[in-house]
Amino acid sequence: MEPIYEGKAKRLFTTDNPNELLMEFKDDATAFNGEKKSSFAEKGRLNLDLSCLIFDELAKQGIATHHIKRLDETRLLVKKVDIIPLEVVIRNVVAGSLHKRLGYDEGHVLDAPLVEYYYKRDDLGDPMLTLDHIAILDVATDAELKTISELGLQVNEFLIGFFGNSGIRLIDFKLEFGRDTDGSILLADEISPDNCRLWDATSGERLDKDRFRRDLGDLLDGYREILGRLQGQS
Ligand code: ADP
Ligand code: UDP
């Protein structure tokens, strides 16, 4: 097991199998491209609990993902993929950078889900890309982009209902995709409150990482609340 990458929230290690990686979830939290940093004991385990629960539900919907199996509280075995360097953001309700871009109030419900692409480049500040930018960068083919946006919208439709059954509104979220050894597109990385906005359906309380970004309350109380509700349902 050799460490090959340390990111802001996870570490990657090689395994005996060249097509598999071990992914370790850290307790660190960062925001604003790493400018704000902290650590929260148990955050890694909670995020892995939530991500596994959600990826299991997506697999039941027939969505191909990189998950193989959970090894312990913070470590997951995954299929190694060639990550497409795009952060695929799907939005149902205006919040965060979309509020700043369009000037609509946070909470404004979009008529239809919106798909946006950001270039996964911390050194450039993850800029938003148009389809023409993506063509110039040549990071994904038109056919791959079609698959990615269709899968993203399918994940969104399922998760709106899944969270909705627990009294949670899915405002927006970020996905990452990669190519496996056959070149097939797999859903990769994680789906957790680190990369979703999740609001209580009744009170509007923020249950996600905005608690940390904007000092809205204890971060992990929000994550535990989401986990408790989803576990009660699944
Ligand atoms: P960041 O790199 O943005 O700081 P993380 O700390 O979450 O983010 O690091 C996890 C890294 O692992 C990300 O760069 C992500 O693209 C990558 N990754 C996720 N799933 C896979 C996979 N199945 N194979 C290879 N890399 C992956
Ligand atoms: N997001 C993410 N990683 C990023 C940027 C955004 O996971 O590097 C998620 C974020 O948690 C939110 C959605 O993508 O659920 C939309 O984020 P937004 O563009 O509003 O950015 P922010 O204002 O949060 O920086």
Side-chain angles (χ1 to χ4, degrees):
M1 236 181 55
E2 292 293 326
I4 51 166
Y5 178 79
E6 173 147 9
K8 296 183 287 292
K10 300 191 281 297
R11 291 188 193 92
L12 297 177
F13 299 85
T14 57
T15 66
D16 292 341
N17 185 332
N19 297 324
E20 297 178 358
L21 291 178
L22 196 150
M23 183 175 266
E24 183 184 30
F25 283 62
K26 305 196 292 182
D27 286 339
D28 298 347
T30 66
F32 313 120
N33 205 8
E35 274 172 42
K36 183 170 179 176
K37 283 188 200 158
S38 194
S39 184
F40 298 88
E42 277 191 64
K43 173 173 170 288
R45 179 187 63 76
L46 274 169
N47 267 354
L48 185 52
D49 284 354
L50 277 158
S51 201
C52 285
L53 196 150
I54 293 167
F55 270 68
D56 285 352
E57 293 296 326
L58 292 174
K60 287 185 207 160
Q61 302 302 308
I63 292 172
T65 85
H66 70 154
H67 271 215
I68 300 175
K69 70 170 177 190
R70 187 169 183 169
L71 300 176
D72 59 27
E73 288 206 327
T74 56
R75 297 184 313 159
L76 177 73
L77 193 65
V78 297
K79 291 180 193 160
K80 181 180 179 177
V81 297
D82 170 25
I83 288 282
I84 294 172
L86 296 175
E87 301 201 335
V88 181
V89 170
I90 320 270
R91 303 177 182 271
N92 299 303
V93 176
V94 172
S97 68
L98 190 64
H99 157 71
K100 292 192 193 128
R101 190 178 303 281
L102 301 187
Y104 286 12
D105 287 343
E106 273 210 327
H108 174 95
V109 178
L110 296 167
D111 289 340
L114 174 64
V115 182
E116 297 174 340
Y117 302 98
Y118 294 82
Y119 195 14
K120 206 174 141 46
R121 280 278 302 263
D122 283 345
D123 58 332
L124 301 180
D126 295 344
M128 188 160 93
L129 299 177
T130 65
L131 294 179
D132 286 345
H133 294 145
I134 297 173
I136 291 171
L137 291 168
D138 200 20
V139 289
T141 65
D142 287 350
E144 285 175 333
L145 276 180
K146 185 166 179 282
T147 303
I148 286 170
S149 68
E150 284 170 1
L151 282 170
L153 290 170
Q154 198 184 337
V155 170
N156 183 48
E157 200 171 305
F158 172 75
L159 289 183
I160 288 174
F162 184 61
F163 286 117
N165 290 339
S166 291
I168 296 169
R169 289 176 77 200
L170 177 62
I171 305 301
D172 58 32
F173 60 105
K174 183 265 295 180
L175 297 175
E176 290 186 30
F177 294 89
R179 301 175 191 96
D180 71 5
T181 44
D182 306 332
S184 307
I185 298 289
L186 295 185
L187 179 63
D189 207 52
E190 67 176 288
I191 302 182
S192 75
D194 269 13
N195 44 43
C196 301
R197 284 199 172 90
L198 299 163
W199 296 358
D200 179 84
T202 311
S203 66
E205 183 184 0
R206 273 54 167 173
L207 301 171
D208 55 74
K209 201 168 100 177
D210 273 348
R211 295 167 81 90
F212 169 68
R213 293 190 189 96
R214 303 185 192 176
D215 299 317
L216 297 176
D218 184 273
L219 180 73
L220 298 190
D221 281 353
Y223 288 26
R224 285 191 201 98
E225 178 68 28
I226 298 166
L227 183 63
R229 292 196 204 179
L230 296 182
Q231 280 174 336
Q233 175 195 154
S234 66

